[in-house]
């Protein structure tokens, strides 16, 4: 499934982005916190400042007033160790009693890098001795042995990067393990939803984190399957009813048409009687055509009509239909003209010849039915963009843009008007579109070049 890997990639991307942002945030906080700390040189600089401010006069060593006040504010004590005697020759008033007054060379080395009685000490070089500042015990931490292996320092960036990569991998593994249960629960849900769109039956185990959602999907699948079964049952019943009615009506209708035809030619009937019989014959013919159209439309809709496609010359097939209409001596009001270019002698496509001829016949008859005042009908076959196209158009009353929209997009072409005797069922155009669908073509209806009605049947050329 494409959705689950996509979901996993999304989770991993979020995890990776979160880790990177977290690392950046921690680094920024570390930098800000470090910058807010007092610099390491601060106590050493203070010790040098005290050493510079300390002077000797007749009363002994004296520290400038400002420096002494500053030391008192920060609770820092100070002593001066004489170079010659190694004794404390001066100290501030806040000197703790536990601070020694005599020092050895070893003591000096320890206090320079460490502490005196737990007080972190910092030194400054005076004129005749060493100034030592003692800060409160919890103010500084001094590293007693500040020496590092050179190789360790040189490989530190690589070590830090390795640790970072290991941490990211561990976080990823923990993340995947923690979400594996979620992914396992999501996969059947996604699969079930995709199956619903294809009308497949869905049965997801109702357990885990999405048990309620799985139950809802299963219930939806049951409802859809039930609706599909009912729909297929109704459609089958409708198709069987149409086929049964068509079969049952044909025999009595044939008898009516036969007897009506005999009466129409019976010279013993009055002129008024023969006119009435002629109406019966005409309406019986319309009823027969309607039954045939209903039966064919139903078969095409439910794929019950056998389609025998063979390589045929579309030009010859359409020419036969036009010739048939011309030979039946239709009303002089309707003139059918063959407009195919003489250079196009053949256009071969894979078609069911009888169905295509039926489609062209329906279009020509449609031009006749909708133009009671008469019209000029033009039929042609053209080859365009690797397609063979049948064009049937007229110069009659035409159609509006709204009607064209409905004819091209409506699921049926039912037409009802006030003229009951001449009502049109519209199945002719529906059958044309169905015939084009089974051939993988298109039926487009629009305005003709002659300001009338136009229909274009587009067949893809099949090269063999």
């Amino acid at each position: 499934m494409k959705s689950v890997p996509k979901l996993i990639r999304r989770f991993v991307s979020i995890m990776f982005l979160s880790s990177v942002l977290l690392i950046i945030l921690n680094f920024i906080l570390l930098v800000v916190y470090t910058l807010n700390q007092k610099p390491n040189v601060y106590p050493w600089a203070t010790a040098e400042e005290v050493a510079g401010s300390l002077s000797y006069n007749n009363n002994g060593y004296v520290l400038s007033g400002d420096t002494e006040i500053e030391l008192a504010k920060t609770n820092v004590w100070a002593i001066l160790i004489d170079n010659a005697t190694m004794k404390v020759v001066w100290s501030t008033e806040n000197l703790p009693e536990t601070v020694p007054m005599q020092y050895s060379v070893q003591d000096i080395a320890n206090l320079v890098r460490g502490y005196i009685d737990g007080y972190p000490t910092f030194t400054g070089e005076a004129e005749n001795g060493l100034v030592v500042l003692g800060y409160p015990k919890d103010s500084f931490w001094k590293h007693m042995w500040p020496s590092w292996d050179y190789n360790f320092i040189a490989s530190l960036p690589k070590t830090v990067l390795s640790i970072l990569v290991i941490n990211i991998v561990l976080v990823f593994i923990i993340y995947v393990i923690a979400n594996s249960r979620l992914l396992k629960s999501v996969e059947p849900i996604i699969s079930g939803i995709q199956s619903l769109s294809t009308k497949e039956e869905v049965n997801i185990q109702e357990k885990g984190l999405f048990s309620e959602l799985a139950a809802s999907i299963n219930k939806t699948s049951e409802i859809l399957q039930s609706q599909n079964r009912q729909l297929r049952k109704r459609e089958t019943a409708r198709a069987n009813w149409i086929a049964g009615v068509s079969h049952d009506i044909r025999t009595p209708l044939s008898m009516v048409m036969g007897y009506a035809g005999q009466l129409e030619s019976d010279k013993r009937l009055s002129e008024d009687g023969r006119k009435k019989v002629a109406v019966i014959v005409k309406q019986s013919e319309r009823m027969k055509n309607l039954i045939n159209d209903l039966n064919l439309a139903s078969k095409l809709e439910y794929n019950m009509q056998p389609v025998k496609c063979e390589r045929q010359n579309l030009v010859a097939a359409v020419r036969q239909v036009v010739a048939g209409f011309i030979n039946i001596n239709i009303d002089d009001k309707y003139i059918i003209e063959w407009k195919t270019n003489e250079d196009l002698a053949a256009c071969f496509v894979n078609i069911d010849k009888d169905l295509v001829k039926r489609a062209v016949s329906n279009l020509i008859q449609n031009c006749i039915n909708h133009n009671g005042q008469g019209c000029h009908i033009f039929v042609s076959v053209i080859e365009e963009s690797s397609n063979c196209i049948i064009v049937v158009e007229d110069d009659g009353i035409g159609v509006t843009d709204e009607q064209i929209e409905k004819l091209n997009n409506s699921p049926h072409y039912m037409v009802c008007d006030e003229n009951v005797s001449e009502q049109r069922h519209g199945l002719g155009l529906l059958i044309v579109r169905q015939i084009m669908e089974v051939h993988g073509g298109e039926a487009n209806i629009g305005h003709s070049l002659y300001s009338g009605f136009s229909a274009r049947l587009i067949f893809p050329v099949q090269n063999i």
Side-chain angles (χ1 to χ4, degrees):
M1 291 173 54
K2 297 181 179 179
S3 302
V4 172
K6 185 177 181 180
L7 186 62
I8 294 175
R9 288 195 298 270
R10 182 176 179 84
F11 284 163
V12 172
S13 299
I14 293 174
M15 182 274 297
F16 181 76
L17 181 60
S18 302
S19 300
V20 172
L21 291 178
L22 187 61
I23 292 173
I24 294 175
L25 178 62
N26 288 335
F27 180 77
I28 293 174
L29 292 176
L30 179 61
V31 171
V32 172
Y33 178 78
T34 302
L35 292 177
N36 288 332
Q37 299 302 307
K38 295 179 180 178
N40 290 334
V41 298
Y42 162 72
W44 299 100
T46 303
E48 292 291 343
E49 182 182 349
V50 171
S53 301
L54 191 64
S55 60
Y56 184 81
N57 56 30
N58 294 332
N59 296 325
Y61 288 95
V62 179
L63 184 63
S64 66
D66 293 340
T67 305
E68 187 173 4
I69 293 172
E70 186 67 26
L71 292 178
K73 287 182 179 180
T74 56
N75 198 24
V76 176
W77 52 263
I79 61 175
L80 174 62
I81 302 174
D82 185 69
N83 288 336
T85 61
M86 303 295 287
K87 293 180 180 180
V88 174
V89 294
W90 172 86
S91 67
T92 57
E93 294 180 357
N94 61 344
L95 180 68
E97 296 180 355
T98 57
V99 174
M101 302 302 290
Q102 178 75 39
Y103 293 88
S104 64
V105 175
Q106 291 84 353
D107 294 333
I108 296 297
N110 288 331
L111 69 86
V112 169
R113 68 181 184 182
Y115 302 83
I116 296 178
D117 193 30
Y119 295 94
T121 55
F122 302 89
T123 60
E125 185 179 352
E127 183 177 354
N128 297 317
L130 182 67
V131 172
V132 179
L133 300 186
Y135 281 79
K137 293 183 177 181
D138 58 353
S139 59
F140 289 98
W141 174 79
K142 297 184 69 176
H143 186 35
M144 298 292 290
W145 298 276
S147 60
W148 300 90
D149 182 81
Y150 179 82
N151 292 329
F152 172 77
I153 298 298
S155 61
L156 186 60
K158 184 186 297 183
T159 303
V160 172
L161 181 60
S162 300
I163 294 174
L164 181 62
V165 171
I166 292 173
N167 287 335
I168 293 176
V169 171
L170 288 176
V171 170
F172 173 76
I173 293 174
I174 294 172
Y175 185 84
V176 170
I177 293 175
N179 288 279
S180 59
R181 184 181 178 186
L182 175 64
L183 295 176
K184 289 181 180 179
S185 301
V186 168
E187 183 174 356
I189 298 297
I190 296 176
S191 178
I193 294 175
Q194 290 176 338
S195 298
L196 286 178
S197 63
T198 59
K199 299 182 180 180
E200 297 179 13
E201 187 173 359
V202 177
N203 186 15
I204 306 173
Q205 292 185 354
E206 300 175 7
K207 64 178 184 179
L209 298 175
F210 300 101
S211 57
E212 294 183 0
L213 183 57
S216 299
I217 293 175
N218 290 337
K219 184 65 176 178
T220 302
S221 176
E222 292 177 5
I223 295 174
L224 292 177
Q225 292 299 317
S226 177
Q227 291 176 344
N228 289 335
R229 286 192 293 269
Q230 293 296 328
L231 182 61
R232 286 194 296 269
K233 185 177 180 180
R234 287 197 297 268
E235 297 296 346
T236 301
R238 187 180 75 165
N240 291 337
W241 180 82
I242 292 175
V245 170
S246 300
H247 180 270
D248 293 340
I249 291 179
R250 279 195 183 97
T251 300
L253 183 60
S254 298
M255 295 177 63
V256 171
M257 293 180 67
Y259 287 127
Q262 294 177 12
L263 291 173
E264 185 180 16
S265 60
D266 191 346
K267 299 186 180 298
R268 291 174 296 178
L269 281 179
S270 64
E271 185 67 24
D272 183 61
R274 282 197 298 271
K275 288 182 179 180
K276 291 179 180 179
V277 172
V279 172
I280 294 175
V281 173
K282 182 178 179 181
Q283 295 303 322
S284 297
E285 185 67 30
R286 292 185 68 246
M287 188 182 300
K288 177 183 176 182
N289 293 334
L290 172 60
I291 293 171
N292 291 335
D293 286 346
L294 279 172
N295 200 26
L296 180 58
S298 178
K299 289 181 178 180
L300 290 172
E301 182 177 358
Y302 300 109
N303 297 320
M304 298 169 61
Q305 172 69 29
V307 180
K308 301 177 181 179
C309 290
E310 297 178 351
R311 184 171 169 83
Q312 299 284 347
N313 182 359
L314 195 62
V315 177
V318 177
R319 186 188 291 114
Q320 291 176 9
V321 177
V322 174
F325 271 91
I326 295 175
N327 292 335
I328 62 175
N329 295 320
I330 59 176
D331 197 318
D332 292 339
K333 296 186 299 182
Y334 303 101
I335 300 174
I336 302 178
E337 183 176 346
W338 176 248
K339 294 281 291 183
T340 301
N341 194 318
E342 295 181 357
D343 295 336
L344 183 64
C347 189
F348 288 96
V349 290
N350 285 341
I351 58 172
D352 185 315
K353 185 177 180 180
D354 292 335
L355 286 179
V356 172
K357 291 172 68 174
R358 175 65 180 275
V360 177
S361 298
N362 283 1
L363 291 175
I364 296 175
Q365 189 63 49
N366 183 76
C367 295
I368 295 173
N369 293 340
H370 289 78
N371 294 285
Q373 80 286 357
C375 67
H376 201 148
I377 302 171
F378 307 91
V379 182
S380 62
V381 177
I382 60 177
E383 191 170 15
E384 182 180 284
S385 301
S386 300
N387 293 321
C388 282
I389 303 175
I390 301 173
V391 182
V392 178
E393 49 192 350
D394 61 47
D395 60 357
I397 60 175
V399 288
T400 65
D401 292 336
E402 182 180 359
Q403 290 173 326
I404 290 175
E405 179 69 20
K406 290 181 179 180
L407 291 173
N408 282 322
N409 298 291
S410 298
H412 56 78
Y413 298 134
M414 300 306 294
V415 178
C416 292
D417 50 38
E418 296 178 354
N419 188 358
V420 178
S421 63
E422 296 296 333
Q423 260 188 10
R424 302 182 297 276
H425 51 75
L427 285 173
L429 293 179
L430 174 61
I431 291 173
V432 170
R433 189 168 71 178
Q434 289 176 324
I435 290 174
M436 294 308 299
E437 287 177 355
V438 299
H439 284 88
E442 298 180 19
N444 295 330
I445 295 173
H447 300 289
S448 74
L449 298 176
Y450 311 96
S451 302
F453 172 86
S454 172
R456 291 166 60 92
L457 307 184
I458 305 173
F459 294 85
V461 175
Q462 303 292 333
N463 295 321
I464 299 179

